[in-house]
């Protein structure tokens, strides 16, 4: 995992996750499924870090 991900504030991670999901939805609506999948994977990385923090 990238060091910056662990150093980013929780609010920044939440916003980044939201933006990645929004972009994925736009790609999905435009029938760009490969790009949508990439964005959802990015969102999952942010969500995993947020979950790790909430469990600590």
């Amino acid at each position: 995992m990238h060091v910056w991900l662990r150093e980013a504030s929780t609010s920044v991670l939440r916003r980044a996750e939201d933006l990645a999901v929004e972009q994925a939805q736009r790609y999905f609506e435009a029938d760009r499924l490969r790009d949508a999948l990439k964005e959802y994977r990015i969102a999952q990385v942010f969500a995993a870090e947020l979950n790790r923090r909430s469990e600590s």
Side-chain angles (χ1 to χ4, degrees):
M1 184 174 301
H2 296 286
V3 173
W4 67 267
L5 192 59
R6 291 196 182 246
E7 294 177 353
S9 70
T10 300
S11 62
V12 168
L13 288 176
R14 283 191 185 118
R15 183 65 182 139
E17 180 189 20
D18 290 344
L19 290 172
V21 170
E22 288 174 17
Q23 186 63 37
Q25 290 170 340
R26 283 190 210 105
Y27 283 143
F28 182 78
E29 291 166 2
D31 202 26
R32 293 176 60 188
L33 301 181
R34 183 174 293 149
D35 293 328
L37 184 57
K38 287 178 188 176
E39 288 295 329
Y40 277 123
R41 287 181 180 152
I42 291 169
Q44 287 176 330
V45 170
F46 294 130
E49 176 62 16
L50 289 166
N51 287 337
R52 185 193 68 76
R53 289 181 185 192
S54 68
E55 293 171 355
S56 297

